[in-house]
């Protein structure tokens, strides 16, 4: 009695044995199935081959097993070839030993048969990994490697084996020739049919139109009929000539042209079976000489006719597939073209004449397709400006691909809209054309403009608000020069009242008055500059200078708030393209926030440091304070609109600052200091556009 333990113990060795037969990408079931199919097919092939062997000859007139083996190798991965060869061995032994052939001869033949299949499959696989005979190139490769090379080379070995075993009475070269021809014939008759059947998509069978099925039936009936008439010798007239062999040729050609290499292969197989059978049985039209001569002529005839038939079939099928693929891609293009949500137009590259337009184009321009075809963009006055029209044409005429050109276009009714056009070279009906895509961006531009205006307005309002905070400081700064002017004017009056007036002293006083007035004027000028409403004006800016200006501007305010400012400005800092007023605004905002953050600190701890630094492509301004710092994890959130921790704060300052910096292509971010307070970093690039290099030390 077997215990469970015994069963478990046996399991791994059984698995190990099966794993030897593992074919990459194949399931175990599939491998076993393939082995079984090869064995059965090979066995049947041996029986047919032996049935078609003449008594006077040691080798058959048509020997299918080697062709079956070759087809099996072509259909399996190279690493599994030995499995297929092994699967054929029992079939080979069973088929031939039962026929009374000596064991050594049987084993020798197994070697020469395997050699043939390996040479042929190896030669084909060397140049093509696909097991398909669907193109001209593949069929030529198959004929050269499979039909000619494999049988040619292996027949030397085979004939030598026959001589060595003293099997039959034929000489070396006779055996070699019969073996070569019989195997070449079997290969060309069988392999295309097997490979085609194995690789055919069964799910596509249902899609075959009725017309094609009827045609296939008619072709089969016709071919079988002709073969029966010619080769069975029953109906053919007594004086039938060898020329009758050509009677099936129209059917073979029909099969090749209409059904490709698969059809050609199948009809060649049918004719080969009939012809070989007739030849060895001495039927018409082969009854003129010996059976041996019959066999030779039928082999040569079939090989010579099959090769061009197969290649014609492949060439025709390849062309047909190419045309079908082209038609399908044209259909797909037409569908995509018609239903595209963008306006599309195809124009001739040479003269700009319109070849086709889609529905969206008709809607956009108000011209119908019929009106547009044949006209040029000038004829339809599509461009608002001549300059843009000629620039567009020039770009099309030059071979370059047109990437996003913004133009103003006009519809039939005169409506003007802004659009982005892109163009791509295409070939339509063998003519070089251009596919132009037109995208209306009027709305997008309007929205962008609106957003821009709103941003400018917001930035302006925020500056006005900042100035509001500075009003006390400004009043103080204005008071000083005004009081000095007043005092000096009074002193002047007094000096003028003296007799004689002291004109030298009066001149000094007047000079002081002018200097004080200038100081007052400077304060007012700065205020006016900040109050001005304006668009972004990028000019080469010395960042250090802006820092100095801001510190000076906030001078009184900083004194009032008892905050000390340290500056460490990098010497010879490169200029960056920026708007002076807006950068001032950002710095003022950062300084105000720093002061707010330190409001609760003891006086001696209220200090801000402003550091500038630069690299090859960017400059950085860092404003570090000793305040309360940003709440943990909120370093990004502080830039969101309406985020505020102040009782009367709006939470808009930093969000506006970031918008301003982004508009410059720069970056603004915040980090908490290791000890106390926060540092805000502002980076501006020298080429103005944003991206990565912000991690300055
Ligand atoms: P508001 O000043 O009106 O609050 P901001 O956008 O300028 O608006 O600032 C948003 C918030 O960011 C502030 O309320 C504060 O909580 C935080 N914050 C800004 N600057 C600093 C700083 N230097 N230190 C600590 N927190 C700051």
């Amino acid at each position: 009695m077997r215990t469970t333990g015994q069963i478990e113990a046996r399991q791994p060795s059984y698995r190990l044995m099966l794993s030897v037969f593992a074919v990459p990408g194949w399931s175990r079931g599939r491998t076993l199935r393939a082995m079984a199919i090869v064995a059965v097919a090979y066995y049947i092939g041996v029986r047919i081959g032996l049935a078609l062997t003449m008594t006077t000859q040691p080798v058959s007139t048509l020997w299918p097993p080697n062709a079956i083996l070759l087809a099996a190798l072509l259909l399996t991965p190279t690493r599994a070839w030995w499995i297929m060869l092994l699967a054929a061995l029992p079939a080979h032994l069973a088929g031939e030993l039962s026929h009374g052939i000596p064991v050594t001869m049987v084993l020798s033949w197994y070697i020469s048969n395997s050699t043939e299949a390996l040479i042929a499959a190896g030669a084909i696989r060397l140049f093509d990994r696909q097991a398909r005979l669907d193109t001209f190139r593949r069929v030529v490769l198959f004929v050269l490697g499979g039909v000619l090379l494999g049988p040619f080379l292996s027949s030397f070995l085979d004939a030598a084996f026959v001589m060595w075993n003293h099997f039959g009475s034929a000489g070396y070269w006779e055996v070699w020739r019969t073996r070569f021809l019989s195997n070449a014939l079997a290969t060309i008759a069988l392999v295309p049919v097997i490979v085609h059947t194995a690789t055919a998509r069964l799910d596509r069978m249902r899609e075959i139109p009725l017309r094609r099925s009827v045609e296939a039936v008619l072709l089969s009936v016709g071919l079988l009929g002709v073969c029966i008439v010619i080769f069975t010798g029953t109906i053919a007239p007594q004086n039938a000539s060898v020329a009758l062999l050509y009677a099936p040729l129209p059917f073979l050609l029909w099969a090749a042209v209409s059904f490709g290499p698969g059809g050609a292969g199948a009809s060649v197989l049918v004719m080969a079976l009939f012809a070989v059978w007739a030849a060895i049985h001495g039927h018409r039209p082969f009854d003129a000489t010996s059976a041996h001569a019959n066999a030779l002529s039928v082999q040569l005839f079939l090989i010579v006719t099959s090769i061009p038939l197969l290649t014609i079939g492949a060439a025709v099928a390849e062309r047909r597939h190419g045309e079908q693929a082209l038609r399908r891609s044209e259909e797909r293009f037409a569908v995509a073209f018609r239903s595209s949500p963008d306006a599309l137009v195809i124009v001739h590259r040479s003269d700009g004449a319109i070849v086709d337009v889609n529905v969206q184009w008709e809607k956009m321009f108000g011209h119908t397709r019929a009106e547009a075809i044949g006209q040029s963009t000038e004829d339809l006055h599509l461009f608002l400006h001549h300059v843009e029209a000629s620039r567009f044409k020039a770009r099309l005429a030059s071979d370059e691909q047109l990437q996003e050109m913004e133009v103003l276009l006009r519809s039939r009714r005169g409506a003007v809209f802004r659009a982005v056009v892109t163009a791509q070279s295409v070939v339509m009906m063998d003519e070089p054309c251009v596919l132009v895509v037109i995208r209306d961006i009027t709305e997008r531009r309007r929205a962008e403009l609106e957003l821009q205006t709103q941003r400018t307005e917001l930035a302006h309002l925020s500056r006005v608000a900042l100035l509001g905070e500075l009003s006390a400081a400004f009043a103080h700064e204005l008071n000083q020069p005004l009081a000095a002017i007043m005092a000096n004017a009074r002193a002047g009056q007094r000096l003028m009242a003296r007799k004689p007036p002291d004109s030298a002293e009066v001149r000094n006083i007047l000079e002081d008055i002018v200097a004080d007035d200038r100081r007052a004027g400077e304060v007012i000028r700065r205020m006016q500059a900040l109050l001005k409403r304006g668009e972004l004006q990028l000019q080469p800016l010395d960042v250090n200078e802006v820092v100095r200006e801001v510190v000076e501007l906030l001078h009184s305010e900083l004194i009032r708030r008892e905050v000390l400012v340290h500056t460490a400005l990098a010497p010879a800092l490169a200029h960056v393209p920026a708007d002076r007023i807006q950068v001032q605004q950002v710095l003022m905002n950062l300084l105000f926030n720093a002061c707010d953050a330190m409001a609760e600190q003891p006086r001696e701890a209220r200090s801000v440091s402003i550091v500038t630094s630069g690299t090859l492509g960017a400059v950085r301004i860092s404003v570090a304070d000793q305040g309360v710092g940003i709440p943990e994890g909120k370093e990004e959130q502080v830039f969101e609109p309406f985020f505020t921790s102040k009782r009367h704060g709006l939470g808009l300052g930093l969000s506006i600052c970031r918008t301003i910096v982004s508009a410059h292509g720069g970056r603004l971010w915040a980090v908490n200091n290791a000890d106390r307070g926060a540092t805000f970093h502002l980076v501006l690039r020298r080429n103005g556009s944003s991206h990565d290099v912000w991690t300055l030390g």
Side-chain angles (χ1 to χ4, degrees):
M1 210 175 86
R2 233 199 270 161
T3 66
T4 325
Q6 277 173 320
I7 294 172
E8 276 168 6
R10 288 170 63 95
Q11 200 89 324
S13 61
Y14 156 77
R15 285 238 177 98
L16 192 73
M17 209 181 82
L18 272 186
S19 69
V20 176
F21 293 97
V23 178
W26 282 19
S27 67
R28 206 171 286 160
R30 188 175 173 187
T31 311
L32 290 175
R33 233 179 7 254
M35 288 174 79
I37 291 171
V38 169
V40 171
Y42 191 96
Y43 181 78
I44 296 172
V46 170
R47 303 306 301 185
I48 293 174
L50 291 174
L52 296 176
T53 306
M54 287 177 281
T55 41
T56 54
Q57 289 284 322
V59 289
S60 172
T61 311
L62 181 87
W63 184 247
N66 303 358
I68 290 166
L69 211 48
L70 169 60
L73 298 194
L74 289 180
L75 291 166
T76 43
T78 320
R79 281 165 68 184
W81 281 3
W82 70 274
I83 300 176
M84 296 301 121
L85 295 180
L86 200 67
L89 181 59
H92 180 86
L93 296 177
E96 293 196 351
L97 288 176
S98 65
H99 208 71
I101 303 169
V103 182
T104 48
M105 188 67 251
V106 170
L107 288 175
S108 304
W109 269 335
Y110 176 72
I111 293 171
S112 59
N113 288 357
S114 304
T115 309
E116 179 185 329
L118 281 172
I119 292 173
I124 295 170
R125 185 71 42 103
L126 204 61
F127 297 97
D128 187 18
R129 302 213 65 78
Q130 288 276 327
R132 282 176 185 275
L133 299 174
D134 51 357
T135 64
F136 179 76
R137 181 180 172 272
R138 283 178 176 154
V139 167
V140 169
L141 192 60
F142 162 69
V143 168
L144 292 178
V147 179
L148 302 177
L149 189 70
F152 182 86
L153 292 182
S154 64
S155 293
F156 288 108
L157 186 68
D158 197 281
F161 279 145
V162 171
M163 293 303 112
W164 177 55
N165 283 287
H166 306 292
F167 193 72
S169 55
Y172 182 89
W173 288 111
E174 198 181 334
V175 175
W176 181 89
R177 192 186 56 205
T178 322
R179 163 84 172 40
F180 168 54
L181 292 177
S182 74
N183 278 283
L185 177 59
T187 304
I188 202 162
L190 273 172
V191 176
V193 178
I194 299 175
V195 168
H196 199 78
T197 315
T199 53
R201 298 264 310 267
L202 288 178
D203 52 333
R204 288 268 174 91
M205 291 289 189
R206 264 192 245 127
E207 292 170 23
I208 295 173
L210 182 67
R211 193 181 53 79
R212 296 278 290 164
S213 310
V214 171
E215 189 183 352
V217 171
L218 284 179
L219 175 61
S220 312
V221 170
L223 182 64
L224 283 171
V226 173
C227 285
I228 290 169
V229 170
I230 295 164
F231 297 117
T232 56
T234 43
I235 317 173
Q238 284 301 309
N239 55 356
S241 87
V242 177
L244 264 183
L245 263 179
Y246 292 96
L249 215 54
F251 290 98
L252 298 189
L253 262 177
W254 175 10
V257 171
S258 214
F259 294 95
S267 357
V268 164
L269 177 63
V270 170
M271 183 172 157
L273 288 173
F274 270 102
V276 169
W277 182 82
I280 58 176
H281 288 89
H283 286 298
R284 264 172 252 280
F286 304 105
D287 57 356
T289 53
S290 67
H292 176 58
N294 282 349
L296 187 65
S297 57
V298 79
Q299 283 171 334
L300 279 173
F301 170 77
L302 284 170
I303 292 169
V304 170
T305 45
S306 306
I307 292 174
L309 275 171
L310 269 183
T311 43
I312 288 173
V316 171
E318 197 173 354
R319 200 192 164 116
R320 193 167 31 231
H321 284 149
E323 280 168 3
Q324 276 170 359
L326 187 69
R327 203 172 320 123
R328 270 200 294 274
S329 101
E330 277 176 2
E331 280 166 10
R332 278 199 293 271
F333 174 76
V335 171
F337 181 77
R338 298 248 162 279
S339 57
S340 165
D342 288 320
L344 301 178
V345 53
I346 298 169
V347 295
H348 277 299
R349 192 181 272 284
S350 53
D351 56 1
I354 293 174
V355 179
D356 206 352
V357 297
N358 73 347
V359 181
Q360 197 55 32
W361 187 94
E362 290 179 301
K363 272 192 208 153
M364 188 181 267
F365 289 97
H367 297 281
T368 64
R369 184 165 173 260
E371 285 166 359
I373 289 176
Q375 306 283 339
S376 71
T377 47
E378 282 101 338
D379 298 337
L380 298 174
H381 306 291
L382 299 185
F383 284 91
L384 188 68
H385 299 305
H386 272 306
V387 194
E388 285 182 350
S390 1
R391 215 172 81 216
F392 176 71
K393 257 190 103 172
R395 298 271 286 276
L396 285 196
S398 69
D399 226 30
E400 73 187 90
Q401 187 185 336
L402 181 68
Q403 303 269 24
E404 304 236 324
M405 177 174 164
E406 202 172 316
V407 288
L408 281 171
L409 298 175
R410 181 171 34 201
S411 77
R412 184 185 195 160
R413 293 220 184 94
V416 174
F417 54 94
R418 189 168 282 281
V420 164
V421 289
T422 43
Q424 175 79 45
S425 295
V426 285
V427 175
M428 300 293 284
M429 289 166 287
D430 291 336
E431 287 222 36
C433 293
V434 183
L435 170 68
V436 184
V437 183
I438 306 160
R439 197 163 295 162
D440 186 348
I441 55 158
T442 317
E443 268 314 305
R444 199 170 85 194
R445 279 278 172 276
R446 191 174 297 151
E448 278 172 9
L449 211 68
E450 223 161 77
L451 195 68
Q452 182 67 37
T453 320
Q454 279 172 4
R455 275 194 195 138
T456 316
E457 199 61 26
L458 201 61
H460 175 243
L461 285 177
S462 141
R463 280 202 303 277
V464 173
L466 281 177
L467 284 179
E469 287 195 44
L470 278 176
S471 53
F474 276 136
H476 176 71
E477 286 205 18
L478 276 178
N479 244 347
Q480 273 184 346
L482 286 179
I485 288 170
M486 179 59 85
N488 278 327
R490 289 234 170 94
Q493 276 174 341
R494 277 197 301 277
L495 286 172
M496 287 301 286
R498 278 194 201 159
K499 295 270 176 351
D502 184 348
S503 54
E505 196 57 21
V506 170
R507 198 173 301 122
N508 282 342
I509 284 178
L510 285 178
E511 269 167 20
D512 281 352
I513 290 178
V514 170
D516 285 331
D517 186 76
R518 277 219 186 93
R519 261 174 65 204
E522 186 60 22
V523 175
I524 293 170
R525 193 190 56 72
R526 280 193 217 132
M527 214 160 84
Q528 275 176 333
L530 282 167
L531 278 173
K532 239 173 49 194
R533 179 184 277 125
E535 289 185 354
L536 190 75
Q537 283 179 357
L538 299 184
Q539 275 158 1
L541 200 68
D542 178 354
V543 167
N544 287 342
E545 201 179 297
V546 179
V547 172
R548 275 187 225 109
E549 279 170 2
V550 171
V551 174
E552 204 176 314
L553 200 69
L554 301 191
H555 175 70
S556 307
E557 182 67 11
L558 292 167
I559 291 174
R560 192 178 71 78
R561 297 202 188 198
E562 296 176 288
V563 172
L564 206 66
V565 175
H566 302 281
T567 51
L569 307 180
L573 208 55
H575 288 199
V576 285
D579 185 308
R580 175 180 293 273
I581 298 293
Q582 296 205 348
V583 177
Q584 278 183 0
Q585 177 177 354
V586 173
L587 283 178
M588 277 168 69
N589 232 311
L590 297 183
L591 273 174
F592 270 124
N593 279 346
C595 292
D596 289 345
M598 296 186 298
E600 304 296 319
Q601 310 282 34
R603 271 180 220 152
E604 60 282 4
R606 291 186 210 156
S607 77
V608 179
S609 75
I610 306 178
V611 180
T612 58
S613 55
T615 59
L616 221 54
V619 297
R620 173 153 87 168
I621 312 169
S622 306
V623 179
D625 61 50
Q626 295 290 308
V628 289
I630 299 164
E632 194 60 37
K634 303 260 190 219
E635 287 89 343
E636 257 310 294
Q637 230 172 312
V638 293
F639 294 97
E640 285 174 11
F642 307 115
F643 179 91
T644 182
S645 60
K646 301 170 195 168
R647 194 179 304 161
H648 300 294
L650 274 179
L652 284 176
L654 286 180
S655 117
I656 291 170
C657 288
R658 190 170 256 189
T659 315
I660 289 175
V661 177
S662 300
H664 281 77
R667 254 191 84 194
L668 173 67
W669 74 102
V671 284
N672 274 325
N673 300 331
D675 46 357
R676 68 177 338 165
T679 302
F680 282 73
H681 298 285
L682 157 64
V683 175
L684 296 170
R685 276 175 74 101
R686 287 179 68 182
N687 63 10
S689 68
S690 54
H691 295 132
D692 310 319
V693 238
W694 308 130
T695 40
L696 309 165

